[in-house]
């Protein structure tokens, strides 16, 4: 049975990554070859399938991912991210400090990839905690919730961007619906869950944490950073451009407006690649040249950003290769046939498959891409909204982060938690994001 072969492939992947400590990309390519052979694919087709999967996935993602990494790096290196965080903290005051952290982390999380946002925000959270004499975890949970939600639901982050490309969904719609899903999910998984966690594991809120491993962080005097307004505008510009284009396109369909050059130009600007390029050019000016920073230094930040995402791109490409093997090897068709008569929503099915793979594999991106390989053949048989299927896959792929996920250990070590406390905070937090996200997506599917 094809599903037995897939299960064996996933077990092999776990053994290679966790048992033999083999690089994730190498492991994915080895397993892709092994599963292709086990599925009986012709030998001459295997390498073509792997190349097609790798190239097709990266071809869609590399432009957006690369430009997004540069944009985030410029905002971080200029002090723009620090300005956003500290301004909101000062405006909200001690009483509403959690909400300041939630909003700052959300804005920064849109522009920066999860790990970068974490490294940037944790020292700020620790500094605020010392200054106000409050628990670091009290601020850390809302921060992690915001970063995790933006990472799971909002382009240009790799998960939703790459799944949108695989499903052929409109990335602007994914962003728009993603924002509708993200905001209530952040509130539930952040400030609301913190109150519950304080009762569940009270001792974890007394821990002092340790960020020595982050090394010396670049600190700015607030007056030396870009203004709050321009920092927020620069960070959110891709979201603004893509959202405007999507809203206008949806209105055009609703009203029945005839297409013209202006609407075509708006759609072009709202394309993910175009909006990211425009946003990067704006950031080069607002975060660099306007502040008298030499272009050479600005370009050094861009180069550093790209060097940091090389391996992540390869891992995503490896996930794309595995996905293509599942499609070309007939596993996707087998799953589609299996669920042909089922009344189960493709949204729910995508979430269930992604959740099972996430718990097994640890990597949210690999889980999402493997899900795509199993779900794509089903999408031709359904009228489900593709953007919502993308978001459901993203929601499933963040569930129950545990010992096979790097995020689990990062959170544990930085906040000085025991294993039990990490399960009761971080693992539960990620599960709330996944389940709450699915609930809102299903509700949204009744209206769109």
């Amino acid at each position: 049975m094809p599903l037995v072969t897939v299960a064996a492939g996933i077990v092999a992947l776990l053994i290679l990554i966790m048992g033999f400590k083999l690089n994730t990309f190498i492991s994915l390519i080895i397993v892709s070859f092994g599963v292709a052979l086990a599925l009986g694919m012709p030998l001459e087709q295997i390498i073509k399938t792997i190349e097609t999967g790798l190239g097709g996935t990266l071809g869609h993602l590399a432009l957006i991912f690369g430009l997004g990494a540069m944009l985030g790096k410029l905002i971080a290196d200029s002090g723009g991210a620090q300005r956003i965080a500290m301004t909101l903290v000062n405006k909200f005051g001690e009483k509403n400090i959690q909400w300041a952290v939630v909003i700052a982390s959300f804005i920064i999380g849109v522009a920066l990839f999860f790990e970068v946002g974490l490294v940037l925000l944790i020292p700020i959270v620790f500094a605020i905690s010392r200054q106000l004499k409050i628990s670091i975890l009290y601020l850390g949970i809302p921060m992690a919730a915001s970063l995790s939600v933006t990472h799971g639901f909002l382009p240009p982050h790799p998960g939703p961007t790459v799944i949108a490309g695989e499903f052929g969904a409109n990335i602007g719609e994914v962003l728009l619906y993603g924002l509708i899903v993200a905001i209530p999910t952040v509130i539930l998984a952040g400030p609301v869950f913190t109150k519950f966690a304080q009762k569940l594991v009270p001792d974890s809120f007394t821990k002092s944490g340790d960020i020595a491993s982050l090394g010396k962080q670049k600190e700015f005097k607030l007056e030396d950073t870009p203004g709050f307004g321009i920092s927020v505008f620069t960070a959110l510009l891709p979201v603004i451009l893509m959202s405007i284009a999507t809203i206008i396109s949806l209105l055009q369909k609703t009203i029945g407006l005839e297409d013209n050059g202006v609407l075509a130009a708006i759609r072009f600007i709202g394309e993910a690649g175009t909006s990211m390029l425009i946003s990067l050019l704006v950031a080069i000016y607002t975060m660099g040249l306007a502040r008298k920073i030499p272009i050479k230094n600005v370009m050094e930040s861009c180069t550093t950003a790209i060097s940091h995402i090389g391996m992540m791109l390869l891992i995503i490409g490896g996930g794309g290769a595995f996905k293509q093997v599942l499609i070309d090897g007939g596993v996707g068709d087998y799953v589609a046939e299996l669920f042909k008569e089922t009344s189960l929503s493709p949204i729910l099915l995508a979430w269930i498959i992604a959740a099972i793979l996430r718990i097994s594999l640890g990597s949210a991106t690999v889980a999402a891409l493997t899900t795509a390989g199993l779900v794509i053949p089903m999408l031709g048989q359904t009228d489900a909204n593709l953007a919502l299927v993308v978001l459901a896959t993203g929601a499933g792929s963040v569930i129950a982060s545990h010992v096979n996920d790097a995020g689990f250990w990062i959170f544990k070590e930085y906040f000085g938690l025991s294993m039990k406390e990490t399960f009761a905070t971080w693992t539960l937090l990620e599960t709330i994001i996944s389940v709450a996200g699915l609930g809102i997506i299903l509700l949204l599917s009744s209206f769109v």
Side-chain angles (χ1 to χ4, degrees), residues 5 60 73 127 212 216 261 272 295 312 318 320 360 436:
T5 305
H60 170 73
K73 184 69 173 162
K216 187 169 173 55
I295 189 69
M312 197 181 292
S360 306

Side-chain angles (χ1 to χ4, degrees), residues 4-160:
V4 175
T5 305
V6 175
I10 290 166
V11 170
L13 194 60
L14 282 170
I15 292 167
L16 289 173
I17 295 170
M18 297 177 71
F20 291 98
K21 309 293 182 203
L22 213 58
N23 175 278
T24 305
F25 171 68
I26 297 169
S27 302
L28 279 164
I29 297 300
I30 292 170
V31 168
S32 297
F33 272 102
V35 169
L37 288 167
L39 290 170
M41 287 176 65
L43 293 177
E44 63 274 11
Q45 190 190 332
I46 292 174
I47 195 69
K48 286 179 185 172
T49 292
I50 287 170
E51 286 174 353
T52 300
L54 200 145
T57 300
L58 290 184
H60 170 73
L61 185 69
L63 178 67
I64 303 163
F65 200 22
L67 294 172
M70 292 185 206
L71 173 66
K73 184 69 173 162
L74 288 179
I75 294 166
D77 284 359
S78 66
Q82 186 174 321
R83 165 71 81 164
I84 292 167
M86 296 316 295
T87 302
L88 286 167
V89 163
N90 293 333
K91 290 281 183 195
F92 275 75
E94 186 176 343
K95 191 179 176 185
N96 298 308
I97 192 69
Q98 266 197 328
W99 293 103
V101 170
V102 165
I103 295 167
S105 303
F106 195 88
I107 294 168
I108 291 165
V110 168
L112 302 180
F113 298 133
F114 180 80
E115 294 83 357
V116 183
L118 206 60
V119 168
L120 189 85
L121 283 168
I122 280 180
I124 296 172
V125 161
F126 271 64
I128 297 165
S129 163
R130 281 196 303 271
Q131 189 181 332
L132 300 180
K133 295 181 172 55
I134 53 177
S135 163
I136 51 166
L137 199 59
Y138 181 77
L139 302 178
I141 288 175
M143 175 203 71
S146 285
L147 290 176
S148 198
V149 165
T150 54
H151 179 75
F153 295 129
L154 302 182
H157 286 276

Side-chain angles (χ1 to χ4, degrees), residues 281-348:
L281 294 174
V282 168
I284 287 170
Y285 177 74
T286 58
M287 300 289 113
L289 303 180
R291 302 183 55 249
K292 305 290 187 290
I293 297 173
I295 189 69
K296 182 188 171 192
N297 293 11
V298 175
M299 289 301 103
E300 278 175 7
S301 285
C302 290
T303 304
T304 305
I306 291 299
S307 66
H308 285 169
I309 65 165
M311 183 48 71
M312 197 181 292
L313 276 171
L314 280 178
I315 290 168
I316 291 167
F322 187 40
K323 174 264 315 177
Q324 198 63 41
V325 164
L326 298 182
I327 292 174
D328 290 0
V331 179
D333 290 330
Y334 178 80
V335 171
E337 193 62 35
L338 208 61
F339 287 93
K340 197 173 182 180
E341 304 301 324
T342 184
S343 57
L344 201 63
S345 157
I347 290 171
L348 192 57

Side-chain angles (χ1 to χ4, degrees), residues 210-226:
D210 181 16
I211 54 169
S213 60
L214 289 177
K216 187 169 173 55
Q217 299 301 302
K218 192 173 181 182
E219 289 183 15
F220 302 88
K221 290 181 181 174
L222 215 53
E223 60 269 22
D224 294 337
T225 60

